[in-house]
Amino acid sequence: MSQLRTVQVLGGGAGSSARVSSLAAGLVARGVQVTVCAPAGSGRAHGLPATGARFVAVPRRSDPAAVAALRTACTGADIVHAHGLHAAVRAGLALSGQGIPLVVTWHTRAHAEGARGRLLRLLERRAARAAAVVLGTSWELVDRARRRGARDARLALAAIPTGRFRGTPDDGKTRAELGAVGRPLLVSVAQHGHDTLLDAARRWDALDPVPLLAVVGEGPRAGAVRRRIAAEGLPAVLAGGSDGIGDLLAAADIAVLSGRGEGGSLLAQEALRLGVPLVAARADGLPELAGDAAEFVPYGDAGALAGAVVRLLDDPGRRERLAESGRAKAASWPTEDEAIAHVLSVYDELAQPLTAGRA
């Protein structure tokens, strides 16, 4: 049988890009020919050149020129695998009429209301119905794909790419650089719903010592966080992009998630793996991910979020129990090898009729 040829399509999100780097390396090691299509610059940022995959820069837009470029890159593939909603919509357009099976992974759920919410639901339907198989990283996402008309929706075996950890960082140096010496360090990410996080930070300002909140993120949402921190003098700092999130978490006392969307599951997974106590809103399948290894509060409730963090800061024993539970939970997750083997089994199932014809 000839070599299986796959194209991985990314939208540029940090969490999905890290997982695709791991997937691409694993597939190449198993003899699969891999092409990764992503926005220019994202390949180097997430280590794609080191995977052995071919990288093709494709705009993240859905205009005719961008779709045509993606269509050209996918020509001759046995399987196209799109990661994220917008990548899935573009891939569906590019593959129209080509007869190439499309696999879509929903790593996280997008959130919007009003007119944007209606557009989001339309995009979800298009992505779900264009796919031969939708893989969701939580049962919540699997059920959502089924409601949107997916022919075949399954739970993905999701593992954290171990390459995201940089060994043992200098915790003292990290804390000193952030200005967190002699005070608790809290780490979060800029997400939809970040106002709840900053409302909670305003309440922590009354503590002694005052915790420092380090927020990881880039782009417009991070810009909004930065402006509010400056305008209100909040005890918080922006801490750059997601590439250094492992180092920050290794130095943190507590990880905090108030929002929804890209970046949340990545921070939660890495926090549990590193044994960092986690306080999170009940959103995006996080209760399913963490179980009793985290403290959960209602989404949008700044008082509950602030209170949960304060109680943990005052209870070292509870923090240690959460740390132990987090490490135990993470140890039960699939390995990278298992996650890659699962994806490859889906590819083989879909591509078998195609590759048999070329044998």
Side-chain angles (χ1 to χ4, degrees):
M1 184 179 292
S2 59
Q3 184 182 37
L4 185 67
R5 298 170 298 187
T6 75
V7 175
Q8 308 289 321
V9 183
L10 283 77
S16 60
S17 296
R19 293 182 176 96
V20 171
S21 293
S22 170
L23 175 60
L27 292 174
V28 169
R30 288 163 173 78
V32 178
Q33 185 182 110
V34 180
T35 298
V36 178
C37 294
S42 60
R44 187 171 300 279
H46 296 288
L48 286 170
T51 65
R54 172 174 172 256
F55 180 78
V56 176
V58 175
R60 71 180 70 203
R61 307 185 308 273
S62 293
D63 59 56
V67 171
L70 182 56
R71 183 182 181 91
T72 298
C74 292
T75 299
D78 296 307
I79 297 289
V80 173
H81 190 163
H83 299 264
L85 177 60
H86 295 284
V89 171
R90 291 197 304 277
L93 292 171
L95 295 179
S96 179
Q98 291 205 58
I100 300 173
L102 174 63
V103 177
V104 170
T105 295
W106 283 3
H107 295 277
T108 188
R109 175 186 168 188
H111 299 272
E113 298 175 355
R116 289 177 63 88
R118 290 191 292 273
L119 175 60
L120 176 63
R121 289 190 291 274
L122 173 62
L123 295 176
E124 288 177 341
R125 285 195 294 272
R126 287 185 176 179
R129 294 173 182 179
V133 174
V134 177
L135 299 173
T137 56
S138 70
W139 282 114
E140 176 187 0
L141 291 173
V142 172
D143 290 342
R144 190 175 185 84
R146 290 170 177 164
R147 292 197 302 272
R148 297 294 184 256
R151 289 170 282 170
D152 187 342
R154 313 177 189 181
L155 185 66
L157 291 186
I160 301 176
T162 55
R164 290 192 64 80
F165 298 98
R166 301 179 178 180
T168 304
D170 186 338
D171 297 357
K173 180 181 178 183
T174 299
R175 295 178 74 99
E177 289 174 346
L178 291 170
V181 176
R183 60 195 295 197
L185 175 61
L186 316 177
V187 173
S188 189
V189 293
Q191 295 178 281
H192 185 282
H194 61 260
D195 281 336
T196 300
L197 177 69
L198 298 181
D199 287 345
R202 191 165 50 200
R203 303 181 186 217
W204 296 326
D205 198 25
L207 300 179
D208 184 19
V210 178
L212 178 68
L213 173 66
V215 183
V216 176
E218 297 174 312
R221 191 162 289 149
V225 171
R226 181 182 293 106
R227 288 189 293 274
R228 186 168 169 195
I229 290 172
E232 301 182 23
L234 298 175
V237 294
L238 263 292
S242 64
D243 285 348
I245 199 169
D247 291 353
L248 285 171
L249 282 170
D253 296 291
I254 298 174
V256 185
L257 284 171
S258 67
R260 303 180 297 199
E262 180 69 41
S265 63
L266 178 63
L267 180 139
Q269 286 177 314
E270 293 201 4
L272 296 177
R273 177 74 64 86
L274 290 170
V276 179
L278 173 65
V279 176
R282 292 186 178 277
D284 290 342
L286 291 182
E288 180 183 322
L289 171 75
D292 61 0
E295 294 277 3
F296 287 102
V297 300
Y299 174 78
D301 191 332
L305 184 72
V309 169
V310 170
R311 287 191 296 274
L312 272 185
L313 289 175
D314 288 340
D315 190 346
R318 174 62 176 160
R319 294 203 305 274
E320 182 56 35
R321 289 191 295 274
L322 282 178
E324 292 175 359
S325 295
R327 285 188 286 261
K329 186 70 174 179
S332 72
W333 294 336
T335 65
E336 283 189 86
D337 281 345
E338 290 169 338
I340 292 164
H342 176 251
V343 171
L344 190 55
S345 71
V346 174
Y347 293 175
D348 287 340
E349 175 186 333
L350 296 174
Q352 190 173 25
L354 300 172
T355 54
R358 298 200 310 264

